[in-house]
Amino acid sequence: MIRAAMPPPTAFATPDELGRAELESAPVRYPRPSRLAAPLRVEGAKAEQAARALGLETIGDLLEHLPRDRREARSVAELVAGETATVVVEVRSISSRSVRRRGMRPLVEATVGDASGLMKATFFNQPWLVQRYPPGTRLVLHGKYEARNRFRVQGHARTGEGVGTADGAAEAVAHYPATEGLSSTQILALVRAHAGALSDVPEPLPAGLRVREALPDRAGALTVSHFPADESDVDAGRRRLAFDELLLAQVVLLRRRRSRHESTRAPVLDGGTGAAGGGRELTARWLGGMLPFPLTGDQERALAAVDADIARARPMQRLLMGEVGSGKTVVALYALLRAVEHGYQGAFMAPTETLAEQHFATIQALMPGEAVPAGLLTGSTPAGRRADLLGKLASGELALIVGTHALIEESVRFARLAVAVVDEQHRFGVRQRAALDAKGPDGLVPHVLHMTATPIPRTLALAGYGDLDFTLLRELPRGRQPIDTFVCSTERERARAYDRIREELRAGRQAFVVCPLVSESEVLQARAATAEFERLREGELRDFRVVLLHGQMASGAKQAAMAAFASGAADVLVATSVIEVGIDVPNATVMLVEDADRYGISQLHQLRGRIGRGSHASLCLLFGPKESARLRALAAHADGFRLAEIDLELRGEGELVGVRQHGMAQFRVAELPRDAELLERARGHAERIVGADPELELPEHALLADALVATYGDEALAPMRA
Ligand code: ADP
Ligand code: MG
């Protein structure tokens, strides 16, 4: 057997080889993790309470309390009047001023200094400091430097030797999330006091993984984050901590996914895929004769993926992502019909009544001649009809049902539910999932196809939905017309824009005018839309029939406006962003958006999706600054997934629409998209680990299992077969 030579040891997170002398002088570490469980003692009742509020109960908690950022510590000579800064100094003399008058705050004054100079530090309301900080004490002070060489102290703590540099040069000091009663500076002092315990921090990663990823050990990574040295070490340390977070999250997701595969069974819907033949009669007839159009390539692939999923006894858990209009409903209906042709039932759940009604209508349109009778069950279904539907679901007479999440209520019984489609799954939690599982026949759970119209960049999908399989519908159905998008900034461009709109209107097309988003007030927004409507009606578009639509209108008036536009009785619809949902007018070929830069990328993309639906080419005119990165992205890209990625790059995960609802912004250190590549690597390792050792029973995974429990609680490691 050939073995690769061991690479020579290198310094922390660098390729620099260590010499023999350095290696021999390195301190030997004897980690004793139990020391980390020792309670953290904090001086003073108030500080103790504050520590508890920050979750700092043990030494280990303290060492895991990571700095938010670093502050440059200043030397005394560098301080500029008015600035807030951190300094590391020594006390030369200290005294308290007696409090003579009422209302005067006790004051302690100290002369402090470093190699660069001296200054007067003032502490309020803490007369005991005279005893606590005798001359010679080294302190970290945070506060404001004021005129006449005074430093008004806001945070202070004693610190050890070797802090601050002898020549008074600046150094970086960790800055911690703090709270009333326990300042960042005090936390820093605590961390310094317990720095020795850093060597007790266990290494959760298997050695092989750590070597392959060239990651520093966890103790080292924590050390540099508390005591920042040079930039590249800090970065390597941050990467390591981020990797741990991402890896643990992926292990949890993959275990959850595996657990569902291992511990639940779904009906096997493999008729027509195996040698047995048959069992495909309905879908074959539907695809061959009833569906009024050929499938897109993406739809074909999605159907194949669904087919493979439901042909197995382990339940499908697939997320189908595609923008509005990408043809998800076709895929959903296919999955449902596969259930029906196997003698089972299918259920289609939407988050709102309106969406349920829309899906129901789409399904009816996709199945001309009612190949399979389907029912619609929502909150407004009359009692008699509801009772009838429930009876038929329970008897199995009704094979297809569309409804809201009310379909998983206790009172709804299915005879043989095999496939469920869940639209917009972020409103569908663990409890709903369990309720849905309980609807399956004879101890089996239904196959589930989740759908979302929010384009989620792959990295976020992995972070948030790593327990699902993904299918993307990127390609829009044939017949979709390209949309030319332009950013208009100047008056000339505006004039030209109205020319183009009039051209389209004269050619018999229709146009949307979208008014600016006024997020503070719907009333203001309505007023702005009304003003623009009046202006256009008398001005640029006076030769045409213009109607108004905004959220403050009575619902009758809204419906009338929508109907007029839909029927072609109106040429132009002036609207607020309410048109984002629910209007389908294939004859509309122009959209003008005022103050477009007030909208987010995804919102503009959704808005734009209202045009380009007919047989004519379309035009989108975005009014706003040419330099806007968002507007430029819209002008350059039509693909919602690409735009979502750009949005993520521009804004970071915390700000991305949908991310919060999806519960994806969950990390302390890791940041997406910055750590996207790290996430992919963590995912790969998590797959290998869970694949080889799902219960994390191997000795090399013992500490990883501990970390998992420490982060996610005992359930994270609950045995998969309950
Ligand atoms: P989604 O659910 O993703 O919003 P739908 O399935 O409702 O999309 O489809 C949107 C519209 O496109 C529907 O009117 C549907 O009939 C039509 N459509 C779907 N797939 C195709 C296709 N392959 N070719 C042409 N039209 C399609
Ligand atoms: Mg749809």
Side-chain angles (χ1 to χ4, degrees):
M1 193 167 116
I2 303 166
R3 299 197 63 191
M6 267 284 280
T10 58
F12 178 88
T14 72
D16 305 338
E17 288 179 24
L18 290 169
R20 191 187 175 92
E22 279 167 299
L23 285 171
E24 282 175 355
S25 66
V28 181
R29 279 175 40 189
Y30 299 103
R32 208 151 37 92
S34 61
R35 275 208 288 188
L36 296 170
L40 175 67
R41 277 183 232 296
V42 185
E43 258 180 88
K46 206 170 149 213
E48 206 169 297
Q49 212 179 338
R52 231 168 297 128
L54 287 171
L56 308 180
E57 310 258 351
T58 64
I59 311 272
D61 294 339
L62 175 71
L63 299 183
E64 292 286 344
H65 188 70
L66 299 175
R68 190 184 301 131
D69 52 37
R70 283 163 290 142
R71 289 170 176 166
E72 199 75 342
R74 298 306 196 84
S75 67
V76 171
E78 283 170 335
L79 293 171
V80 178
E83 88 171 325
T84 297
T86 302
V87 288
V88 180
V89 292
E90 192 182 292
V91 178
R92 300 292 166 85
S93 68
I94 186 162
S95 63
S96 80
R97 191 184 64 183
S98 54
V99 183
R100 286 188 212 94
R101 269 176 286 137
R102 270 164 70 81
M104 223 165 108
R105 296 190 293 167
L107 179 75
V108 168
E109 276 187 343
T111 302
V112 299
D114 59 15
S116 74
L118 296 176
M119 64 181 180
K120 268 256 184 302
T122 51
F123 305 80
F124 290 101
N125 289 328
Q126 302 155 87
W128 56 86
L129 293 181
V130 176
Q131 273 72 47
R132 196 187 294 168
Y133 297 155
T137 310
R138 292 181 59 81
L139 296 176
V140 186
L141 300 181
H142 181 72
K144 193 167 176 194
Y145 185 69
E146 295 175 337
R148 296 200 310 280
N149 202 27
R150 285 189 167 269
F151 193 82
R152 186 185 266 268
V153 177
Q154 290 152 4
H156 55 91
R158 182 196 296 273
T159 184
E161 279 311 313
V163 176
T165 41
D167 58 2
E171 74 168 314
V173 173
H175 182 213
Y176 295 89
T179 186
E180 177 82 34
L182 193 63
S183 68
S184 167
T185 314
Q186 284 168 290
I187 296 173
L188 176 60
L190 284 169
V191 173
R192 284 183 188 280
H194 294 288
L198 278 165
S199 59
D200 295 325
V201 170
E203 173 50 66
L205 297 185
L209 191 169
R210 203 156 72 71
V211 169
R212 238 172 300 139
E213 289 295 327
L215 290 167
D217 66 347
R218 185 165 176 89
L222 285 174
T223 305
V224 279
S225 91
H226 289 300
F227 305 113
D230 73 88
E231 202 60 41
S232 75
D233 280 1
V234 170
D235 198 57
R238 194 201 72 83
R239 250 178 75 84
R240 163 63 210 254
L241 299 177
F243 183 88
D244 286 11
E245 274 186 330
L246 295 167
L247 181 79
L248 291 180
Q250 288 300 314
V251 168
V252 167
L253 286 167
L254 290 169
R255 274 184 44 88
R256 189 184 299 165
R257 165 199 173 90
R258 192 180 167 101
S259 153
R260 201 171 151 73
H261 280 164
E262 299 291 310
S263 62
T264 57
R265 289 273 163 278
V268 175
L269 308 178
D270 65 350
T273 49
R280 212 175 253 289
E281 196 260 337
L282 177 60
T283 46
R285 195 150 49 85
W286 178 61
L287 290 173
M290 284 186 258
L291 194 63
F293 42 72
L295 297 176
T296 64
D298 279 351
Q299 282 172 325
E300 300 261 17
R301 277 183 285 280
L303 260 46
V306 166
D307 252 344
D309 286 350
I310 62 179
R312 284 187 294 239
R314 55 183 222 200
M316 166 164 72
Q317 4 185 18
R318 185 167 292 278
L319 176 62
L320 180 64
M321 294 193 268
E323 299 181 52
V324 174
S326 61
K328 295 184 295 298
T329 316
V330 173
V331 180
L333 182 54
Y334 175 80
L336 297 170
L337 293 179
R338 285 291 282 152
V340 175
E341 67 191 351
H342 283 85
Y344 286 92
Q345 292 166 301
F348 193 148
M349 274 181 279
T352 67
E353 272 187 35
T354 315
L355 282 171
E357 282 159 18
Q358 277 178 13
H359 283 316
F360 186 68
T362 308
I363 283 184
Q364 304 273 320
L366 289 173
M367 263 192 322
E370 291 237 333
V372 178
L376 174 67
L377 185 67
T378 70
S380 22
T381 307
R385 174 102 187 104
R386 180 183 160 87
D388 180 50
L389 286 171
L390 291 187
K392 285 178 173 160
L393 279 180
S395 71
E397 197 183 324
L398 185 62
L400 274 189
I401 186 89
V402 180
T404 55
H405 291 171
L407 284 180
I408 52 173
E409 278 167 14
E410 193 61 45
S411 57
V412 184
R413 303 237 143 127
F414 290 85
R416 291 166 67 72
L417 179 65
V419 172
V421 175
V422 180
D423 193 18
E424 292 307 340
Q425 84 129 29
H426 61 270
R427 305 188 203 188
F428 203 73
V430 174
R431 233 179 315 129
Q432 283 90 336
R433 172 73 155 263
L436 177 56
D437 280 354
K439 302 285 179 212
D442 316 322
L444 300 177
V445 305
H447 294 285
V448 182
L449 181 68
H450 298 279
M451 308 201 306
T452 180
T454 312
I456 306 163
R458 177 181 155 78
T459 50
L460 287 188
L462 212 51
Y465 299 136
D467 54 339
L468 302 178
D469 297 305
F470 307 129
T471 295
L472 250 62
L473 298 183
R474 261 192 127 109
E475 184 187 346
L476 291 183
R478 265 177 288 271
R480 272 308 193 101
Q481 293 300 316
I483 304 172
D484 278 329
T485 299
F486 299 98
V487 181
C488 307
S489 308
T490 64
E491 278 311 306
R492 257 190 61 206
E493 285 166 336
R494 175 176 282 271
R496 172 88 189 106
Y498 288 120
D499 282 344
R500 286 288 288 113
I501 292 177
R502 285 187 292 259
E503 272 170 40
E504 289 288 319
L505 297 179
R506 279 194 206 101
R509 308 283 91 76
Q510 290 165 282
F512 292 103
V513 173
V514 182
C515 295
L517 185 71
V518 187
S519 53
E520 316 86 71
S521 156
E522 272 196 38
V523 177
L524 286 182
Q525 188 159 332
R527 208 175 290 159
T530 308
E532 182 64 6
F533 163 70
E534 300 289 351
R535 194 185 74 77
L536 288 173
R537 193 163 65 149
E538 330 251 274
E540 279 93 346
L541 303 178
R542 64 181 160 269
D543 298 335
F544 304 93
R545 293 158 299 176
V546 185
V547 289
L548 174 66
L549 180 65
H550 63 67
Q552 300 281 298
M553 282 162 50
S555 72
K558 271 192 235 176
Q559 268 160 20
M562 295 243 242
F565 191 67
S567 69
D571 303 305
V572 181
L573 183 72
V574 177
T576 52
S577 52
V578 289
I579 58 161
E580 226 181 306
V581 281
I583 279 198
D584 188 9
V585 181
N587 191 46
T589 54
V590 195
M591 175 172 288
L592 181 164
V593 185
E594 292 283 354
D595 285 347
D597 51 318
R598 292 208 195 168
Y599 289 94
I601 285 190
S602 67
Q603 235 178 336
L604 287 169
H605 181 62
Q606 293 255 346
L607 282 170
R608 183 170 63 175
R610 299 290 125 201
I611 55 173
R613 302 179 146 234
S615 51
H616 302 278
S618 287
L619 180 66
C620 178
L621 303 161
L622 303 175
F623 284 12
K626 279 267 182 313
E627 63 277 8
S628 159
R630 274 178 290 149
L631 300 188
R632 285 217 303 258
L634 276 144
H637 301 279
D639 177 353
F641 287 94
R642 182 69 200 113
L643 286 169
E645 279 161 15
I646 295 174
D647 204 10
L648 180 62
E649 281 157 27
L650 291 176
R651 300 204 284 172
E653 91 238 54
E655 296 298 316
L656 200 65
V657 176
V659 168
R660 275 213 207 83
Q661 296 98 296
H662 289 74
M664 291 177 186
Q666 54 184 333
F667 303 115
R668 290 191 310 155
V669 182
E671 268 172 58
L672 296 169
R674 179 181 176 184
D675 293 316
E677 194 236 320
L678 205 58
L679 170 62
E680 296 280 354
R681 308 186 71 86
R683 169 81 177 187
H685 286 291
E687 275 168 1
R688 273 187 291 277
I689 291 169
V690 174
D693 180 22
E695 308 289 345
L696 304 185
E697 289 164 333
L698 293 175
E700 70 247 45
H701 296 146
L703 292 173
L704 187 64
D706 283 353
L708 208 61
V709 170
T711 310
Y712 290 97
D714 289 329
E715 318 83 81
L717 258 191
M720 289 185 191
R721 286 170 192 279

